[in-house]
Amino acid sequence: MTAFTSVRRTALGALSIIAGAMLVAPVQAQNYPISGGQRATAQQVSERGIPLSELAPNAPDRYTVKRGDTLWGISGMYLLRPYRWPELWGMNLKAIPNPHLIFPGQTLYLDKEGGYARLRTSPPGASETVRVSPRTRSDSLLGTALPTLKPHLIEPFLVEPVVVDASVLERAPRIVATTEERVLMAQGDRAYARGIESAPLRVAPGEQRYYRVYRNAKPLKDPVSGDILGYEAQYLGKAELIRGETTEDVPDGKGGFTKDKVPATVDISGTKEEIRAGDRLLAEPGRGFVSYTPRAPERTVDARVVSIYGESAVAYAAQNQVVSINMGARDGMEPGHVLSILTKGERIKDATSDSKEMIKLPSETNGMAMVFRTFDRVSYVLILDVRNGVRVGDRLVNPE
């Protein structure tokens, strides 16, 4: 196929993101997952559309998708609550059976009739046809689909945060020396590393060769219970194992030889911060396709912000920053879960009363965030929008 002139295409739907090339293997055409509940919701809505009251106040009657748009942004353009994408998909379910891709150049039309609205890919009354520019076989249509969010906001965090048990870094291979007696290492430098006695670093088929470098396992403390939920390691950079650990015969001064241990050789292939002796190596996570389907959690969520990622000296997190929360995979958290952020109601003295008693102000809705990575007891969330800064102790709950 060398061109497409009249193609049925997908409308807004299960918002999917393809992580950057460093994190994701080449993506072939595939069937993205849709839950039964999402399909049922869209089927129900498709019968007549959604109430006009569910539309955003300034939802445009016509909009042409541009490069640089995101599916989250377009959903927010049409819906009061962007995570309710099945309703948006349902506006045009009959014409668009696969709800996963939308492309630059498509024009969306808002059809309002009888107090309900539908989103179409052609003017009301016309056939549901989308005209796109000719494309050669080498240009993957999947690669032109809009991402859920702007990729640069989330890609760096897909592998950077790592939550481990206290002993994991202690058992991990460590950098022991550098070339030319350098104290600090950067990209392109060579260093030497050793594993523990029972697991030395080896270069062999099937053995790990690519590592990420970490330092300092910082405890993540639950702001409610005070429990340690895990230890967050500080990400420093990447390293490639070039030669494994060996031994070498050296004269012992008595006419014989003794065996000295020779550390492994690693090349620093990328750095976020300078690396030094004592820093630890953890196996680089495998490459794979990462997709997000923004949705409200099915179970009740009442989480608290544990920390602001990578910003130990900052008291407040802003839009597009990452925070950790005190609920993880064992609590049912999944990538794609969208949560409402609530302010932490202050305790103040009621200066208007004779007793000057302490009162607690109510929590207020402050923005929205999306879970993108989970560990056993901790999840990392990206702040999608926020009115005031987010701080440790703020609540995240099911969106209304």
Side-chain angles (χ1 to χ4, degrees):
M1 183 179 298
T2 59
F4 298 87
T5 57
S6 180
V7 185
R8 288 185 185 273
R9 276 293 167 236
T10 355
L12 301 172
L15 310 181
S16 302
I17 183 173
I18 300 175
M22 295 178 61
L23 305 177
V24 181
V27 180
Q28 306 298 325
Q30 44 190 302
N31 296 319
Y32 299 106
I34 309 169
S35 74
Q38 292 160 354
R39 185 175 294 279
T41 298
Q43 185 67 53
Q44 180 181 10
V45 173
S46 71
E47 295 177 2
R48 58 181 179 179
I50 64 169
L52 295 180
S53 60
E54 291 292 331
L55 288 176
N58 298 316
D61 292 329
R62 173 177 173 172
Y63 181 75
T64 300
V65 180
K66 305 183 299 293
R67 291 192 182 277
D69 281 341
T70 63
L71 293 175
W72 180 263
I74 292 177
S75 293
M77 186 186 305
Y78 282 97
L79 292 172
L80 290 172
R81 290 166 282 190
Y83 66 89
R84 299 186 67 176
W85 61 266
E87 283 87 334
L88 195 61
W89 166 28
M91 292 179 187
N92 199 17
L93 183 62
K94 291 182 180 179
I96 305 170
N98 184 342
H100 290 288
L101 303 176
I102 184 170
F103 300 92
Q106 286 182 310
T107 299
L108 307 175
Y109 299 88
L110 191 60
D111 181 7
K112 302 175 185 177
E113 184 179 356
Y116 289 84
R118 296 178 181 84
L119 193 65
R120 305 170 59 90
T121 53
S122 63
S127 61
E128 287 292 344
T129 302
V130 180
R131 298 189 181 275
V132 297
S133 302
R135 301 182 185 278
T136 65
R137 185 178 289 121
S138 62
D139 183 11
S140 168
L141 286 177
L142 186 60
T144 68
L146 300 188
T148 304
L149 308 167
K150 293 187 181 299
H152 72 275
L153 298 178
I154 197 168
E155 286 170 6
F157 303 109
L158 292 175
V159 293
E160 281 189 15
V162 60
V163 178
V164 297
D165 293 331
S167 60
V168 168
L169 283 188
E170 295 177 4
R171 299 194 305 269
R174 65 194 183 280
I175 294 177
V176 297
T178 66
T179 57
E180 303 174 0
E181 299 182 351
R182 294 181 181 179
V183 176
L184 300 175
M185 289 161 276
Q187 183 173 347
D189 289 342
R190 175 156 287 189
Y192 305 104
R194 297 182 63 191
I196 59 175
E197 291 290 336
S198 61
L201 290 168
R202 303 290 192 198
V203 175
E207 294 287 341
Q208 181 69 34
R209 292 197 57 176
Y210 297 95
Y211 291 86
R212 296 193 178 269
V213 187
Y214 291 91
R215 179 188 305 150
N216 297 341
K218 178 183 73 174
L220 295 176
K221 183 178 291 187
D222 190 320
V224 178
S225 67
D227 294 343
I228 301 298
L229 304 173
Y231 292 80
E232 180 184 84
Q234 177 186 356
Y235 173 79
L236 305 174
K238 299 181 292 182
E240 179 182 357
L241 178 61
I242 304 301
R243 289 190 296 269
E245 295 183 60
T246 59
T247 59
E248 184 175 316
D249 290 334
V250 296
D252 62 5
K254 301 177 182 179
F257 293 87
T258 186
K259 288 186 179 295
D260 276 0
K261 296 177 179 178
V262 179
T265 300
V266 298
D267 283 346
I268 307 300
S269 55
T271 54
K272 181 181 180 183
E273 298 184 27
E274 291 178 317
I275 295 169
R276 60 175 182 250
D279 291 336
R280 301 286 178 158
L281 305 176
L282 293 177
E284 186 175 64
R287 295 168 179 262
F289 176 76
V290 180
S291 89
Y292 298 97
T293 305
R295 62 203 184 278
E298 295 181 359
R299 63 176 66 184
T300 301
V301 174
D302 190 358
R304 299 294 189 279
V305 174
V306 174
S307 69
I308 301 171
Y309 179 71
E311 303 289 349
S312 57
V314 174
Y316 292 90
Q319 183 174 338
N320 299 331
Q321 283 189 273
V322 168
V323 299
S324 61
I325 62 173
N326 63 346
M327 294 182 68
R330 80 173 193 179
D331 305 301
M333 301 308 302
E334 299 175 0
H337 277 167
V338 175
L339 303 171
S340 288
I341 305 170
L342 303 181
T343 58
K344 183 180 180 181
E346 296 285 358
R347 294 185 72 249
I348 64 170
K349 183 181 294 184
D350 183 0
T352 65
S353 71
D354 294 336
S355 63
K356 302 298 189 291
E357 62 183 336
M358 296 299 296
I359 59 175
K360 183 181 179 302
L361 299 180
S363 297
E364 299 287 353
T365 301
N366 190 31
M368 299 190 75
M370 187 183 75
V371 176
F372 67 89
R373 194 170 187 206
T374 61
F375 293 89
D376 186 38
R377 303 178 67 190
V378 173
S379 295
Y380 287 90
V381 303
L382 178 70
I383 299 174
L384 300 173
D385 60 74
V386 68
R387 297 177 182 83
N388 301 302
V390 177
R391 57 181 174 171
V392 171
D394 282 357
R395 295 174 64 197
L396 289 91
V397 299
N398 302 68
E400 296 181 355

